[in-house]
Amino acid sequence: MKKRLLAYSIAALAISASTVALPAGVASAAPCSDVDISFARGTGELPGLGITGTPFVNSLKSQLSDRSVSTYAVDYSADFTQASAGPGSRDLVAHLNSVAASCPSTKFVIGGYSQGATVVTNAVGLRTPSSFTGAVIPAALASRVEAVVVFGNPFGLFGRKIETSSSTYGSRTTSFCNFGDPVCQIGGFNAFAHLQYGTNGSTTQGAQFAATLVRS
């Protein structure tokens, strides 16, 4: 029953998110940019960066205005079953591998919101219910991932965070989970909290975190 209620809650939140979706902000800079930002949108959102990824990417690009920046919206269905997170991580890893092979100096920032955060969790090698269909960033590429930023990560429902669960990426990760968000907080009670990351300052804070690591 709890699983059914959680699935229903996530689906309802996703429907709400899709109704306020911002225009996709997918763009591409020079063939080999200094920094490549990949972001996975949340469940039910239209293809693109989504309601959280768009302000996050825009803020990070602004803070890295002295560098060339390319962006990539993870190409996955973001469906209501949550099972698409596995294929989403395969697409994310494929993109990183492709850019890394062509652009040996490009640094990476990866992020995700809601189910998109699960995409990222899979990609950094942590187990989730969908990870058996996913992919993991190769060890040889890990050092080029400068920062990992996730919002409303369902991994929190297992009482876990990337920061404390990954010896490789933990120190380069920051997670945002609004108080009461039922998608990332055990016992969460406020569905609206899941929709506020793009407007409550979280995306700006996440961008500041990532920019600091890119510059370090």
Side-chain angles (χ1 to χ4, degrees):
M1 179 62 71
K2 289 184 178 179
K3 291 183 178 179
R4 289 182 180 176
L5 289 174
L6 176 58
Y8 177 80
S9 176
I10 292 175
L13 291 169
I15 292 173
S16 298
S18 66
T19 63
V20 296
L22 300 175
V26 186
S28 180
C32 282
S33 59
D34 295 324
V35 182
D36 182 85
I37 310 168
S38 295
F39 197 91
R41 71 193 190 282
T43 303
E45 292 193 84
L46 298 174
L49 297 172
I51 63 170
T52 302
T54 297
F56 169 71
V57 167
N58 287 344
S59 180
L60 183 51
K61 288 174 69 175
S62 177
Q63 294 182 53
L64 296 176
S65 59
D66 59 331
R67 308 189 183 202
S68 60
V69 178
S70 57
T71 66
Y72 179 72
V74 175
D75 185 8
Y76 83 119
S77 63
D79 64 43
F80 293 101
T81 69
Q82 308 295 299
S84 59
S89 66
R90 293 203 305 268
D91 182 78
L92 171 58
V93 172
H95 170 73
L96 298 179
N97 283 333
S98 176
V99 174
S102 301
C103 305
S105 297
T106 297
K107 297 180 179 180
F108 298 100
V109 173
I110 61 175
Y113 162 60
S114 195
Q115 186 178 178
T118 303
V119 168
V120 173
T121 302
N122 290 339
V124 300
L126 298 174
R127 299 288 297 176
T128 75
S130 61
S131 61
F132 68 95
T133 62
V136 176
I137 300 168
L141 183 55
S143 64
R144 293 174 61 180
V145 178
E146 298 291 318
V148 180
V149 184
V150 291
F151 305 87
N153 191 356
F155 202 46
L157 296 179
F158 297 94
R160 303 179 68 188
K161 298 173 67 174
I162 297 174
E163 292 95 311
T164 53
S165 299
S166 173
S167 58
T168 301
Y169 296 96
S171 62
R172 288 175 266 167
T173 300
T174 188
S175 300
F176 293 87
C177 180
N178 288 333
F179 178 72
D181 183 345
V183 175
C184 58
Q185 182 185 79
I186 298 172
F189 55 88
N190 181 8
F192 186 63
H194 190 62
L195 305 175
Q196 295 181 311
Y197 296 101
T199 58
N200 69 357
S202 295
T203 52
T204 299
Q205 293 177 46
Q208 291 171 342
F209 172 85
T212 298
L213 290 180
V214 167
R215 294 182 180 283
S216 63

